[in-house]
Amino acid sequence: EGDFQKSIMQAIRTGCPALLENVDEEIDPVLEPLLLKQVFRDSGTLSITLGDTTVEYNESFRFYMTTKLPRPHYKPEISTKVALINFVITPAGLQDQLLQKVVAFEERELEEKKQKYLAKSAQNKAKLKAIEDEILRLLSAEGNLLENEEV
């Protein structure tokens, strides 16, 4: 476990806010349950599992991440789990964000469809990656490819 993971676990227990700075476009998979808020009841108390450790979850806990990337492009599976706030904004960018908020408020069905399509896109990309890995595994098998029925 890294120091950052221990610090986050301590913040979760005590209900203090936690700040993870200089995040790249890839986020540590250990944070997945935290981003999804996969909190569960264990013996009457709220808990969350990070990595191999189950930690008591304080409802006052808040988690923030910052980046120094000028134009971060996060994968759809990450974008759907977090609220992105861009503090470096242009008038055109502000107009786009406001339009997105208006559509989300006035046309909830469209926003829900967009979120479903983003999630489906992420699932399809994961399936594609798994299929590609399986094809590579089969092609790298020992022996004659033409005699291998699995291929």
Side-chain angles (χ1 to χ4, degrees):
E1 290 181 295
D3 288 337
F4 93 94
Q5 194 172 345
K6 289 178 183 176
S7 298
I8 289 175
M9 285 189 215
Q10 181 64 26
I12 291 171
R13 269 189 224 102
T14 60
C16 294
L19 173 65
L20 182 58
E21 296 180 302
N22 302 325
V23 175
D24 290 327
E25 290 180 347
E26 295 291 324
I27 295 178
D28 192 338
V30 169
L31 299 175
E32 187 89 9
L34 192 58
L35 298 178
L36 292 172
K37 294 185 179 179
Q38 293 177 333
V39 178
F40 58 92
R41 289 221 176 262
D42 184 28
S43 302
T45 61
L46 291 176
S47 299
I48 191 167
T49 302
L50 293 180
D52 298 333
T53 309
T54 300
V55 182
E56 188 175 326
Y57 185 85
N58 186 317
E59 291 186 71
S60 300
F61 172 73
R62 297 290 179 262
F63 184 59
Y64 303 96
M65 297 184 297
T66 64
T67 184
K68 289 186 177 180
L69 298 174
R71 301 185 127 221
H73 294 285
Y74 293 102
K75 295 179 181 177
E77 55 265 23
I78 293 174
S79 297
T80 58
K81 297 174 192 168
V82 298
L84 295 173
I85 302 171
N86 186 352
F87 289 104
V88 182
I89 193 149
T90 63
L94 180 60
Q95 184 178 8
D96 288 344
Q97 285 185 14
L98 290 175
L99 180 60
Q100 183 180 17
K101 294 293 183 189
V102 169
V103 168
F105 181 74
E106 292 184 1
E107 299 288 337
R108 285 195 176 104
E109 290 177 10
L110 283 178
E111 183 65 21
E112 289 171 1
K113 282 183 182 179
K114 176 186 169 192
Q115 294 301 324
K116 286 179 186 175
Y117 290 141
L118 284 173
K120 188 69 173 172
S121 173
Q123 289 174 350
N124 289 338
K125 285 181 182 179
K127 285 180 185 176
L128 178 63
K129 174 79 170 108
I131 290 170
E132 288 173 347
D133 290 345
E134 178 64 15
I135 290 171
L136 288 173
R137 185 190 67 77
L138 290 172
L139 291 176
S140 65
E142 296 292 323
N144 188 347
L145 290 176
L146 297 175
E147 293 176 2
N148 188 343
E149 289 183 24
E150 192 177 10
V151 173

